[in-house]
Amino acid sequence: MPQLTYWRRPRNWPRLVRASWRSSLQFRTVTISVALSGVAILLVGVYMSASIGNDLFQSRLSQVLLESDRATSAAQSLLDSSDATDRVQVQNLLSAARTSISAASSSRLVAVLRVPGQDSSTVAPLDSSTFGQSTGVIGAELRTEVQANIGDQFWQSVTLTGDDATTVPGIVVGSQITVPVAGRYELYIAYSLKDAEETLLFVQQTLGVAGVALMLLIGAVTWIVVRFVVTPLRVAAETSQKLASGDLEVRIPEKGEDVIATLARSFNGMADSLQSQIRALADLSEVQQRFVSDVSHELRTPLTTIRLAGDVLYDQRASFAPATGRTAELLHTQVERFELLLSDLLEISRYDAGSVELESEPTNLVYLAEDAIDSLRSLAESKGSDLRLVAPGGYLNADVDPRRIRRVLHNLIGNAIEHGEGKTVVVSVDSDANAVALAVRDYGLGMSQAEVAHVFDRFWRADPSRQRTIGGTGLGLAISREDASVHNGWLQVWSSPGEGSCFRLTLPRVAGAVLQASPIPLPPADATADATAVLGDAGQMPVPGGGRHD
Ligand code: ADP
């Protein structure tokens, strides 16, 4: 499974995510929902964590202050009730007071420091502290406040360091006590906030886990909900794609009464009417095609008879009176044109009916061009045109139907002679690895942009009153275009008023191959009026790159 291995490679992930973001409505909706709810959950989580943390601290602080107040009062009472006078007694008294403070305050960290600035006394016990590693945490500011205020409690948030060098947040509460004989002492009791911190950590972890679980849940719910909406939309999109590509039978399943069902019903209604209209049009067009084909066939028999009779009259025209002789000649040419028109009509109706079979064989386009030039040489001479063949390439065979290509060539060269105003007509044949091209360039009247747009239309002529020498039917280029398109080829035109025209036929060398470029440039290399030059559309193929050359 190549798809799976592609997914497994991490370097493909950004591209895959980008592709999914562009192509999947479901992916986009789920991602946006999860991201937005993630932000909301994060904000709520941060707020909850901060407010719970604050609450835990405040309640612990009031508890600590209460406990330390109680312990200090108890110690002070103990000290006040003593009648110790010498150094050892005072020392013992202070130790007892400290023990009672420790017991009452449930804290082992107690420091007793003599307030500086008092008369030195030999009985006054030395400073003592059980703060251990945390000795330095009592700030100077706290000390100043405690030293200056008797009977008040002050506190400070600190970081306590345990014996094993671990740190925990804590609170140090300070107040003054008075020791008989020895004077005033600062008393500091430190309380650990480890429990509160652990509780907060637990709450934060729970909030984190709950937040992630909630995001996953929101993602899953959105995925399911969006799936409900997207699945029918996807079916509708796929169905309309099939309909657009010509499968007129497809319909969307209609279920329920909701908006999706309404969409399905109206889509199906549209498809029904589209199908019936296309059928009606197809029927009509078939009737028309059959009519044209039938009429052409039906006309053939009487026309053959007329032709035979006309030929007899034409052969005897010398024995007729001059006016009758001219009538016989007129009849002869018009019957010939009629026959041509009929065979062109039959050919085009065959194309319309889609019943054209290509009889491809390896063909040399240069030889075909030589044949066509030879057969039209007398016409060219009568017009005073010089027919020239330029063939630097194109001698290798191409897979084409020679009868059709000969017909295209005949038509293009014939038109060039007819509209070439007696000037030279150049036929070029060239080829590359994939394509063979043939261009017919004349230096005659040329056509305007508006005329070029219609040049492949059936029965269109730039000047309907123009005298016709070789009896064109107005179907020549329409059939040539069909001939090119049945070969998967291009028939394109460049023309400029006063500069002449150039028709280019490009055919793939191998039957059925897709053309990419043409070996002959269009507009032709000798086109000077570039600004006014126009590139006619072959009708069946876009000009690659939308440019003037291929
Ligand atoms: P027909 O030649 O039988 O009239 P076509 O389909 O071959 O029909 O050509 C249609 C029209 O295109 C012509 O009547 C003419 O006006 C115009 N046309 C074709 N080839 C040229 C050309 N080489 N130069 C100028 N006009 C042309």
Side-chain angles (χ1 to χ4, degrees):
M1 299 222 283
Q3 190 65 26
L4 209 68
T5 45
Y6 189 72
W7 263 105
R8 278 209 199 110
R9 273 185 226 130
R11 70 191 162 89
N12 294 331
W13 290 351
R15 199 171 328 131
L16 284 164
V17 167
R18 271 202 302 278
S20 307
W21 177 267
R22 268 200 310 277
S23 63
S24 167
L25 181 63
Q26 198 164 357
F27 179 79
R28 245 182 356 251
T29 318
V30 171
T31 313
I32 292 173
S33 311
V34 170
L36 289 182
S37 50
V39 171
I41 288 170
L42 192 72
L43 290 177
V44 170
V46 167
Y47 171 75
M48 280 175 75
S49 158
S51 103
I52 290 171
N54 191 37
D55 209 48
L56 281 171
F57 179 78
Q58 288 301 335
S59 65
R60 179 71 178 132
L61 180 64
S62 5
Q63 187 195 4
V64 158
L65 289 177
L66 205 69
E67 274 183 16
S68 96
D69 190 38
R70 213 179 291 140
T72 315
S73 307
Q76 191 61 60
S77 316
L78 187 73
L79 293 171
D80 289 348
S81 62
S82 155
D83 49 5
T85 48
D86 64 24
R87 194 174 190 279
V88 176
Q89 280 174 334
V90 174
Q91 180 71 51
N92 287 342
L93 177 64
L94 199 57
S95 293
R98 248 191 15 229
T99 316
S100 102
I101 287 167
S102 259
S105 66
S106 70
S107 169
R108 284 187 306 99
L109 304 180
V110 179
V112 182
L113 315 172
R114 191 154 192 266
V115 176
Q118 299 179 80
D119 298 340
S120 59
S121 158
T122 46
V123 281
L126 294 175
D127 293 353
S128 66
S129 165
T130 55
F131 270 45
Q133 300 257 32
S134 307
T135 310
V137 300
I138 304 165
E141 207 179 317
L142 178 66
R143 285 201 67 178
T144 321
E145 274 180 313
V146 170
Q147 286 159 11
N149 296 284
I150 305 168
D152 283 337
Q153 271 190 321
F154 298 93
W155 64 271
Q156 180 195 8
S157 286
V158 292
T159 304
L160 300 174
T161 313
D163 295 337
D164 51 358
T166 53
T167 57
V168 284
I171 299 172
V172 172
V173 184
S175 56
Q176 270 195 33
I177 49 171
T178 314
V179 180
V181 191
R184 290 183 290 123
Y185 276 79
E186 299 162 40
L187 167 68
Y188 296 100
I189 313 168
Y191 295 88
S192 159
L193 291 179
K194 194 163 186 254
D195 287 353
E197 192 192 46
E198 275 171 2
T199 312
L200 184 63
L201 198 69
F202 174 72
V203 168
Q204 281 172 339
Q205 277 169 354
T206 314
L207 280 177
V209 171
V212 171
L214 203 62
M215 272 167 66
L216 290 178
L217 202 70
I218 288 171
V221 169
T222 319
W223 192 79
I224 292 168
V225 171
V226 173
R227 204 179 156 74
F228 275 124
V229 182
V230 165
T231 306
L233 278 183
R234 193 180 296 146
V235 172
E238 282 165 8
T239 315
S240 52
Q241 236 165 17
K242 281 188 201 152
L243 190 77
S245 64
D247 186 356
L248 299 175
E249 300 296 329
V250 288
R251 295 293 181 269
I252 302 176
E254 296 172 21
K255 269 183 280 175
E257 298 292 325
D258 55 17
V259 63
I260 302 282
T262 314
L263 170 77
R265 260 195 298 281
S266 29
F267 180 90
N268 291 347
M270 187 187 76
D272 284 344
S273 85
L274 207 65
Q275 190 179 22
S276 61
Q277 280 183 26
I278 287 176
R279 268 204 196 124
L281 282 174
D283 289 349
L284 187 66
S285 140
E286 202 179 311
V287 168
Q288 282 179 342
Q289 280 167 19
R290 209 175 310 135
F291 180 75
V292 172
S293 161
D294 290 351
V295 166
S296 313
H297 272 291
E298 290 303 319
L299 285 176
R300 267 164 73 159
T301 324
L303 186 63
T304 314
T305 322
I306 294 173
R307 162 124 210 189
L308 288 174
D311 283 352
V312 172
L313 292 176
Y314 185 71
D315 291 345
Q316 295 175 5
R317 66 187 183 284
S319 59
F320 295 156
T324 319
R326 268 200 307 280
T327 311
E329 278 171 16
L330 201 64
L331 180 69
H332 182 74
T333 43
Q334 290 307 315
V335 167
E336 253 178 9
R337 287 205 60 198
F338 200 170
E339 273 188 323
L340 268 177
L341 181 64
L342 215 54
S343 72
D344 278 0
L345 270 176
L346 271 171
E347 188 61 23
I348 209 121
S349 69
R350 245 176 255 134
Y351 270 118
D352 287 346
S355 59
V356 167
E357 290 277 322
L358 263 194
E359 285 160 24
S360 297
E361 55 184 71
T363 310
N364 187 313
L365 280 206
V366 180
Y367 297 160
L368 276 192
E370 277 171 353
D371 281 357
I373 288 173
D374 284 346
S375 70
L376 285 163
R377 198 170 293 283
S378 59
L379 177 72
E381 275 162 11
S382 73
K383 282 279 197 169
S385 288
D386 180 20
L387 277 184
R388 230 185 285 156
L389 175 68
V390 178
Y395 287 92
L396 287 177
N397 287 343
D399 253 349
V400 295
D401 182 340
R403 187 181 66 87
R404 288 175 204 281
I405 301 306
R406 193 175 292 122
R407 178 164 65 192
V408 175
L409 270 171
H410 205 271
N411 186 34
L412 295 183
I413 301 173
N415 279 345
I417 296 171
E418 189 168 353
H419 305 284
E421 307 217 290
K423 295 180 188 150
T424 308
V425 172
V426 182
V427 180
S428 331
V429 187
D430 207 346
S431 65
D432 60 23
N434 307 311
V436 188
L438 203 145
V440 180
R441 170 83 164 105
D442 70 68
Y443 298 87
L445 282 175
M447 286 175 280
S448 70
Q449 190 152 3
E451 287 169 341
V452 165
H454 292 289
V455 82
F456 297 108
D457 291 355
R458 293 175 186 185
F459 296 113
W460 181 86
R461 286 173 187 136
D463 179 4
S465 63
R466 209 186 284 166
Q467 197 215 332
R468 311 202 58 81
T469 319
I470 54 168
T473 58
L475 284 171
L477 286 176
I479 294 177
S480 298
R481 188 176 77 158
E482 299 288 359
D483 284 334
S485 122
V486 80
H487 281 91
N488 262 356
W490 301 336
L491 179 59
Q492 290 154 303
V493 55
W494 165 90
S495 190
S496 176
E499 253 208 285
S501 313
C502 183
F503 283 81
R504 181 183 70 181
L505 173 72
T506 313
L507 300 167
R509 241 182 215 298
V510 182
V514 177
L515 283 180
Q516 302 293 340
S518 178
I520 297 181
L522 197 73
D526 57 0
T528 53
D530 245 12
T532 55
V534 282
L535 189 61
D537 181 12
Q540 69 273 38
M541 287 284 163
V543 178
R548 296 143 60 77
H549 287 256
D550 280 340

